[in-house]
Amino acid sequence: MQELSSLISTEDLYLFNTGQLFRAYRTFGAHAMEYQNQQGVRFVVWAPHAREVAVVGDFNSWTDDVAKLKLERFGTTGVWCGFAPGLSEGAKYKFELLNEQGQRFLKTDPFSFQSELRPKTASIVTRLDQHNWKDQSWMDWKSQHPPYEQPMLVYEVHLGSWRIYGPEQYRTYAQLADELVDYVKEMGYTHIELMPITEHPLDQSWGYQVTGYYGATSRYGHPQGLKLLIDRCHQEGIGVLLDWVPGHFCKDDHGLRLFDGTPLYEDSDSRRAEKPLWGTLTFDFAKPEVQSFLLSSALFWLDVYHIDGLRVDAVASMIDLHFDKPQSMKTYNRYGGTEHIEALNFLRKLNETVFQYYPFTLMMAEDSSSYPAVTQPTYLGGLGFNYKWNMGWMNDMLRYMEIDPSERSSHHSLITFSLLYAFSENYILPLSHDEVVHGKRSLLHKMPGSYEEKFANLRLFYAYWMTHPGKKLLFMGGEFGQFDEWKDFTELDWSVLQYPMHSNMQRYVKDLNHVYLRNEVLWSQDHVHQGFEWIDVNNAEQCILSFQRTGKQLDSTLVTVCNFSRNTHPIYRIGVPIDGTYRLLMNSDDAQYGGSGIHFVSEVQADSIPIHGKSFSIEVPVPALSVQLWKKE
């Protein structure tokens, strides 16, 4: 014990065992260091029910009983520790554990910073302190500009299919630091959201079934390349968000499942542990050591990789004990309810911990439930996130847009209902990968009508989405109207850009993005009702909606006019809140975007003719399946 105390801190182990070691990755795992005047690697692992723990690897032929490094148990902490002199960065290793039944098995390091490229599974000793960051200006700017009053246009990306050379021939992180960042900046996005890049064994899981909560996947190169990618984003003023999956983990033998021969990271009650829909296991959120493991993982990506925010996956599945459970697997909390109390407490602790160290981080809940106060502070009884995905808006709008325009008048509430709750949480309006896979069809393909009408509907949808309160997220490929749904095994259908309608769509989305960025009325008051007002919400018969967005200055107004029908109105009068000149910012029916090209004047003067409860009004043409944005000069 005396010798071990000089290798690891007893205070760290106490904090780990009590769920308070928030940077456990500095203690656990494999760390190159000097010990007793020798260079080598320190190994630390939590395995309280193991009888023996050793380190095997390419340095001792994996199975050589004489040469393998046997670890020592640190008292009653359940932690094992040892030092391998002469070992250095790049060594491949696993933990060999002997369970109570006398069985030996190999496990990868839960705290591994890098792993072999699948299908191999060994952990790799890796240093992560060698990148010279050049993003201090971004960090300073971020600390002075809270996200609520800033534009947020997120481009969701799967690195294995954005652009590739061929099957399993991926762009590296370093290559994407040029190609992807240049594209995102040109298109006007403010953030990139990376679908999970934590290490995972199966490509088709898209990273949502994790084995390495501290390891950047080797599919795209060395972890240093990921730092280069993120650093370049920050230098270009682009934030980076990471899909993070604390709700469940995969069952692969080399991973966390039955880590020391017993349910260690997962709940010991199989009814709570199993997620039958996904074939995965739920973390035991009540266990202090599991809390230390997960909280440290969250801070790790912020500390080491300068990630700007975490999109916490599948929150609804975490907080509901009955989520996707057959009757035989249903359990109840101590009050007889179905809320997963330990998971709810973990999420509150997660957000409190992250904001304690990084107050300006984006913590976003991907939550399809109706659980209240997700984005309220924990001291007010909320879960403490600062954003929630608005799944209700997304489902209603996609359902509405799939309806043929001739039948939309009887479904008008689908596009208006969201404003009844739009300010109850801080929302992101997501058009994510989940909506364009598994036979759901691409966004363009969902649209009804002829070839031209499909594009017109999508342009209409995008402009309504852009002017609706809430931050925005679009999955890659949506910006140029990919016709096929997303295929994770090949790259996006970039070839369709040779066709005018697709290239016009890309130009339209780019211009729409930049209109959004330049006009603070579209984002400075996203979360308060003062930033939005209906002008005409009741014209279901003609399927026409009009509303205004208002900025922090009272005379800062933008009027949106949406026509969801096939009928064109050469003259249409709309109430406006202020007298003066209104300038056309955007017309989705413009010929340059593939529209009909109906002539529009660039500006109109308000008349003193009351309508729609307003003292003034303007007359404008309203083409079929179109949106116009008019800004008060």
Side-chain angles (χ1 to χ4, degrees):
M1 181 73 74
Q2 183 72 27
E3 187 174 341
L4 289 179
S5 297
S6 60
L7 269 177
I8 50 177
S9 162
T10 54
E11 181 183 2
D12 281 356
L13 297 187
Y14 169 78
L15 292 173
F16 178 73
N17 288 145
T18 56
Q20 302 298 316
L21 187 60
F22 299 144
R23 290 184 167 95
Y25 67 89
R26 296 176 179 174
T27 299
F28 288 79
H31 292 268
M33 62 181 295
E34 181 180 319
Y35 177 64
Q36 294 182 346
N37 298 318
Q38 296 186 82
Q39 294 294 328
V41 175
R42 180 194 67 191
F43 294 95
V44 179
V45 66
W46 178 53
H49 303 106
R51 287 169 49 187
E52 291 180 9
V53 179
V55 179
V56 297
D58 57 0
F59 49 89
N60 58 19
S61 302
W62 294 99
T63 57
D64 188 334
D65 287 341
V66 177
K68 68 186 178 186
L69 172 68
K70 292 188 177 181
L71 304 187
E72 296 183 53
R73 184 192 291 268
F74 201 104
T76 60
T77 63
V79 175
W80 299 73
C81 179
F83 181 77
L87 211 57
S88 61
E89 185 176 18
K92 298 172 183 176
Y93 70 98
K94 287 187 179 182
F95 291 115
E96 180 188 83
L97 296 97
L98 177 68
N99 67 11
E100 293 290 350
Q101 290 73 41
Q103 300 169 314
R104 292 187 184 275
F105 49 92
L106 298 178
K107 291 286 188 178
T108 54
D109 184 354
F111 287 87
S112 174
F113 297 153
Q114 186 184 8
S115 298
E116 289 184 295
L117 179 62
R118 54 95 182 92
K120 296 181 179 180
T121 58
S123 301
I124 302 174
V125 177
T126 305
R127 290 181 59 183
L128 295 178
D129 58 355
Q130 298 169 314
H131 182 77
N132 180 25
W133 288 93
K134 300 176 182 177
D135 64 349
Q136 191 57 50
S137 295
W138 166 260
M139 294 301 201
D140 292 342
W141 183 91
K142 188 172 64 170
S143 68
Q144 298 165 16
H145 296 82
Y148 307 104
E149 298 178 3
Q150 299 302 315
M152 189 186 300
L153 274 175
V154 184
Y155 188 62
E156 186 189 25
V157 178
H158 178 255
L159 293 183
S161 59
W162 184 71
R163 282 193 185 274
I164 62 175
Y165 296 111
E168 300 187 17
Q169 298 177 38
Y170 304 118
R171 297 289 207 272
T172 65
Y173 295 120
Q175 290 167 330
L176 291 163
D178 290 324
E179 290 183 278
L180 176 60
V181 177
D182 287 347
Y183 180 76
V184 167
K185 184 176 179 63
E186 179 186 359
M187 290 296 294
Y189 294 101
T190 63
H191 293 75
I192 296 173
E193 181 173 309
L194 300 174
M195 289 173 65
I197 52 169
T198 39
E199 194 56 84
H200 54 282
L202 180 66
D203 292 359
Q204 285 71 35
S205 77
W206 313 329
Y208 291 98
Q209 297 187 10
V210 182
T211 51
Y213 278 82
Y214 293 82
T217 178
S218 295
R219 287 166 175 79
Y220 317 121
H222 193 276
Q224 291 299 121
L226 177 58
K227 290 188 177 184
L228 182 67
L229 169 59
I230 296 169
D231 203 355
R232 174 79 202 292
C233 284
H234 288 173
Q235 291 172 51
E236 296 295 341
I238 298 167
V240 182
L241 313 173
L242 176 64
D243 246 341
W244 188 64
V245 191
H248 61 124
F249 58 90
C250 62
K251 296 182 177 181
D252 292 56
D253 287 341
H254 66 279
L256 298 177
R257 176 177 174 267
L258 299 175
F259 187 80
D260 62 359
T262 69
L264 189 62
Y265 287 89
E266 65 268 37
D267 200 299
S268 59
D269 185 339
S270 62
R271 296 173 300 171
R272 290 197 175 192
E274 294 283 347
K275 283 199 181 300
L277 177 65
W278 298 322
T280 54
L281 294 170
T282 303
F283 281 101
D284 185 350
F285 299 107
K287 203 169 290 181
E289 294 86 352
V290 172
Q291 294 177 26
S292 290
F293 174 79
L294 288 173
L295 295 172
S296 294
S297 172
L299 286 182
F300 169 81
W301 294 99
L302 306 177
D303 287 343
V304 176
Y305 286 98
H306 291 201
I307 289 290
D308 299 290
L310 300 174
R311 179 263 201 185
V312 179
D313 180 62
V315 168
S317 77
M318 297 174 65
I319 64 179
D320 181 4
L321 289 170
H322 288 187
F323 185 89
D324 186 46
K325 296 290 178 76
Q327 187 61 41
S328 61
M329 295 181 66
K330 290 183 177 180
T331 60
Y332 297 86
N333 62 36
R334 57 182 175 271
Y335 303 112
T338 63
E339 293 180 348
H340 194 325
I341 294 173
E342 294 78 13
L344 289 165
N345 289 337
F346 165 76
L347 290 172
R348 295 186 184 101
K349 187 174 181 180
L350 166 69
N351 289 314
E352 289 170 352
T353 303
V354 167
F355 291 130
Q356 175 185 346
Y357 294 101
Y358 293 98
F360 306 103
T361 298
L362 293 166
M363 293 297 292
M364 301 168 291
E366 190 267 314
D367 178 23
S368 58
S369 77
S370 58
Y371 192 85
V374 171
T375 59
Q376 286 291 312
T378 57
Y379 60 81
L380 294 177
L383 289 187
F385 289 94
N386 51 15
Y387 280 98
K388 173 180 174 174
W389 278 26
N390 193 335
M391 311 295 276
W393 172 88
M394 178 272 298
N395 284 315
D396 284 349
M397 279 307 303
L398 290 181
R399 181 182 165 198
Y400 180 83
M401 293 306 301
E402 290 184 57
I403 297 170
D404 188 272
S406 63
E407 301 176 10
R408 285 175 176 167
S409 60
S410 58
H411 301 276
H412 195 66
S413 63
L414 288 174
I415 50 173
T416 61
F417 179 68
S418 60
L419 268 301
L420 294 178
Y421 62 86
F423 310 109
S424 62
E425 303 274 10
N426 299 327
Y427 280 120
I428 290 176
L429 308 182
L431 299 173
S432 75
H433 68 276
D434 276 331
E435 310 319 314
V436 294
V437 292
H438 302 320
K440 294 180 183 177
R441 299 171 296 164
S442 70
L443 294 179
L444 179 64
H445 202 182
K446 293 177 194 289
M447 301 297 116
S450 66
Y451 180 77
E452 290 76 13
E453 286 179 334
K454 285 180 178 295
F455 283 93
N457 270 299
L458 189 58
R459 293 192 302 269
L460 163 59
F461 177 39
Y462 281 163
Y464 179 70
W465 166 65
M466 195 67 75
T467 53
H468 188 288
K471 308 307 184 185
K472 325 297 178 189
L473 178 142
L474 180 66
F475 183 57
M476 62 182 197
E479 74 275 16
F480 57 80
Q482 176 156 318
F483 220 104
D484 286 347
E485 68 175 20
W486 173 49
K487 304 175 287 293
D488 57 63
F489 54 86
T490 186
E491 71 175 13
L492 295 180
D493 294 337
W494 296 103
S495 61
V496 301
L497 287 171
Q498 65 185 300
Y499 303 107
M501 292 299 283
H502 292 278
S503 59
N504 291 340
M505 177 63 76
Q506 186 184 48
R507 183 184 306 115
Y508 172 74
V509 169
K510 177 181 174 180
D511 289 354
L512 186 61
N513 287 352
H514 284 279
V515 165
Y516 170 83
L517 295 177
R518 290 193 301 265
N519 290 276
E520 60 89 18
V521 296
L522 294 176
W523 37 262
S524 65
Q525 298 205 97
D526 262 332
H527 313 300
V528 292
H529 64 84
Q530 292 89 342
F532 178 93
E533 183 180 344
W534 289 115
I535 294 174
D536 185 7
V537 66
N538 297 314
N539 193 352
E541 182 179 353
Q542 292 180 303
C543 298
I544 294 179
L545 275 178
S546 54
F547 55 89
Q548 68 187 59
R549 296 296 307 274
T550 305
K552 292 200 166 183
Q553 298 179 355
L554 292 179
D555 62 347
S556 177
T557 299
L558 188 146
V559 173
T560 300
V561 185
C562 304
N563 181 4
F564 291 93
S565 79
R566 288 193 177 98
N567 299 318
T568 293
H569 303 272
I571 298 177
Y572 192 89
R573 186 166 291 277
I574 300 154
V576 292
I578 305 171
D579 191 14
T581 300
Y582 287 77
R583 179 169 58 89
L584 180 65
L585 283 187
M586 198 82 181
N587 170 23
S588 71
D589 196 49
D590 195 308
Q592 67 173 321
Y593 304 133
S596 69
I598 291 176
H599 177 67
F600 266 72
V601 294
S602 60
E603 58 184 43
V604 293
Q605 182 67 36
D607 301 315
S608 298
I609 301 176
I611 191 174
H612 299 142
K614 307 294 182 183
S615 300
F616 305 94
S617 59
I618 58 176
E619 268 193 350
V620 297
V622 179
L625 301 174
S626 72
V627 173
Q628 294 83 48
L629 309 183
W630 294 91
K631 185 176 183 181
K632 165 70 172 61
E633 289 289 0

